[in-house]
Amino acid sequence: GGSMRWIALFLLASPLAWKSVSRGLEWRDELTLFESALDVCPNSLKVLNNLALKLLDRETAARAGELLDKALDLHPEYPSALFNRGLVHYVLKQHELAVEKFESSLKIEEHQPKTRAYLAQSLLTIAYELQRTGHWDEAEELLGRTLMQADASITQGCELPLVFHVRCAVGHELKLGEESLWYCDAAVQLNDVKKARGDDENELILVENTYNAAALVLRSLNRFEEAAQMYKLGLEANQECFELLVNAGGLYGDLGQYDEAMSFYSKALQMSPESPELITNIGWLLELKGHLVEARQHYVRALELLGDYPHPQIVNNLKNVEVRIEQHHNIQVDDVGLHG
């Protein structure tokens, strides 16, 4: 067990790139229908809202935003337009703005499980970003808010796999242990049900990300074999998942299976050779194998890549390895003295 010396990478549950599912004829027909309805009733909240929803895609999100802004000019307290305006920000990765809109919508109408789910996901995204830039206290506060919104969403009957994933991930962050596993499981099961029913693709999650969260929870409970099993399931879902490869490497290093660990890291390196977290983790593996000087080079490189935002774990690893190199050096000097 002990504290973790490698850096775990986290994933968000939902593919943020929103897909307008079938960009086929049916979609075009509906779009045409809504566009002509807009010509006839340019101030219809319903038409503005529906047309915006059809355009909720990375490429067309800006237009969706304009339509919703118009709807909100006409009716500033229209909860579903506020929610959809939040979704536009969410799709464009403008999470602070998304949070603002989701919260405004909830002030008007409390019972909105779906809005709370996306709010929780946006808050978690911002929290990860704050952690990455070393703002630990602010991140902690947002994690608390994430937990509150996820719980409220689930209590209100939300069945989006997304919210169960977020609840598991935030549970891991706040060290809530065992209970987080139940939410991971629920996320995967709900996702299977939605898939089988042919529900809206945008409501599905990437299950490899949920397996990643479950593995991290299991790792924190020192249930290594089960964690390894989760990585296996995740990589079956997506063998190109960078974060899973990095975290699986860390786990196998903990288990003392260094070659296995390195094979995961090698695959990850081909995908992202400049990842400071990956370089750190390879450094830690080298340190475990006793290659102290090489390990030190890796930590230094990782900190260079991070620039203004040094990760406390890497700073710590570097200090520790320098102490070990120093001790190692002194022992060798002593040896020379003894034989001299």
Side-chain angles (χ1 to χ4, degrees):
S3 71
M4 208 147 113
R5 295 285 301 280
W6 50 277
I7 295 176
L9 293 176
F10 302 104
L11 286 151
L12 299 168
S14 74
L16 285 179
W18 208 264
K19 297 188 281 293
S20 284
V21 190
S22 53
R23 277 262 151 130
L25 280 173
E26 192 190 343
W27 179 82
R28 289 227 154 64
D29 289 348
E30 285 187 8
L31 193 63
T32 314
L33 193 71
F34 285 130
E35 291 277 15
S36 9
L38 190 64
D39 291 338
V40 182
C41 324
N43 291 343
S44 157
L45 293 180
K46 201 168 178 187
V47 173
L48 287 164
N49 208 26
N50 286 337
L51 179 54
L53 275 179
K54 280 277 161 244
L55 297 168
L56 202 60
D57 187 301
R58 283 310 285 269
E59 292 84 69
T60 48
R63 167 111 201 276
E66 287 164 15
L67 294 165
L68 291 164
D69 285 341
K70 183 172 179 193
L72 289 165
D73 280 344
L74 295 164
H75 193 331
E77 301 213 332
Y78 185 31
S80 85
L82 282 165
F83 168 65
N84 291 331
R85 190 66 185 92
L87 274 185
V88 171
H89 288 307
Y90 176 89
V91 170
L92 295 171
K93 298 189 171 151
Q94 301 162 335
H95 290 285
E96 278 89 355
L97 294 169
V99 165
E100 222 173 274
K101 287 291 185 275
F102 294 150
E103 286 182 336
S104 304
S105 184
L106 286 165
K107 276 196 187 103
I108 299 157
E109 169 59 64
E110 281 223 326
H111 188 89
Q112 292 190 67
K114 196 170 166 180
T115 304
R116 290 183 193 281
Y118 285 103
L119 172 56
Q121 164 91 357
S122 281
L123 289 167
L124 182 62
T125 310
I126 300 167
Y128 284 154
E129 188 53 29
L130 287 167
Q131 285 180 343
R132 196 183 65 75
T133 53
H135 298 87
W136 302 97
D137 294 343
E138 289 167 57
E140 198 69 18
E141 191 241 328
L142 281 189
L143 291 169
R145 283 168 63 192
T146 303
L147 181 70
M148 212 172 71
Q149 291 299 341
D151 279 342
S153 172
I154 292 167
T155 306
Q156 290 185 352
C158 187
E159 288 192 355
L160 288 174
L162 168 77
V163 76
F164 289 86
H165 171 99
V166 168
R167 181 60 180 75
C168 168
V170 77
H172 170 67
E173 288 293 325
L174 296 170
K175 303 185 176 49
L176 302 178
E178 186 90 37
E179 65 157 41
S180 304
L181 294 172
W182 183 87
Y183 291 101
C184 278
D185 205 38
V188 173
Q189 286 184 23
L190 279 167
N191 206 55
D192 289 343
V193 170
K194 280 188 162 294
K195 231 184 193 149
R197 274 204 310 241
D199 286 0
D200 181 355
E201 262 184 80
N202 294 315
E203 296 197 342
L204 298 177
I205 54 173
L206 302 171
V207 289
E208 60 267 30
N209 304 1
T210 307
Y211 287 125
N212 182 51
L216 291 169
V217 174
L218 287 160
R219 158 74 182 73
S220 70
L221 298 169
N222 293 331
R223 288 157 61 178
F224 298 109
E225 298 303 328
E226 290 168 83
Q229 187 53 36
M230 288 295 157
Y231 286 130
K232 227 173 122 178
L233 287 168
L235 289 164
E236 277 168 21
N238 176 9
Q239 56 187 12
E240 298 274 285
C241 181
F242 176 75
E243 290 81 356
L244 277 181
L245 290 167
V246 173
N247 293 348
L251 182 78
Y252 281 98
D254 284 343
L255 292 170
Q257 300 176 26
Y258 301 148
D259 293 344
E260 190 73 26
M262 200 55 222
S263 81
F264 284 112
Y265 286 156
S266 302
K267 284 179 196 148
L269 265 178
Q270 290 169 357
M271 295 165 70
S272 183
E274 300 274 272
S275 158
E277 293 86 359
L278 174 57
I279 292 168
T280 300
N281 293 1
I282 294 172
W284 173 237
L285 188 62
L286 288 164
E287 195 177 335
L288 288 172
K289 293 167 80 169
H291 304 307
L292 303 183
V293 175
E294 274 184 83
R296 181 183 180 281
Q297 288 166 345
H298 278 71
Y299 299 146
V300 168
R301 176 80 186 115
L303 287 169
E304 278 169 6
L305 287 166
L306 283 170
D308 292 340
Y309 303 114
H311 191 293
Q313 182 66 62
I314 310 176
V315 174
N316 208 17
N317 283 11
L318 180 60
K319 277 186 195 147
N320 289 338
V321 80
E322 284 177 341
V323 169
R324 290 183 63 191
I325 290 170
E326 186 63 29
Q327 287 168 343
H328 199 74
H329 182 74
N330 291 344
I331 291 165
Q332 286 175 324
V333 172
D334 290 346
D335 279 356
V336 173
L338 289 171
H339 303 302

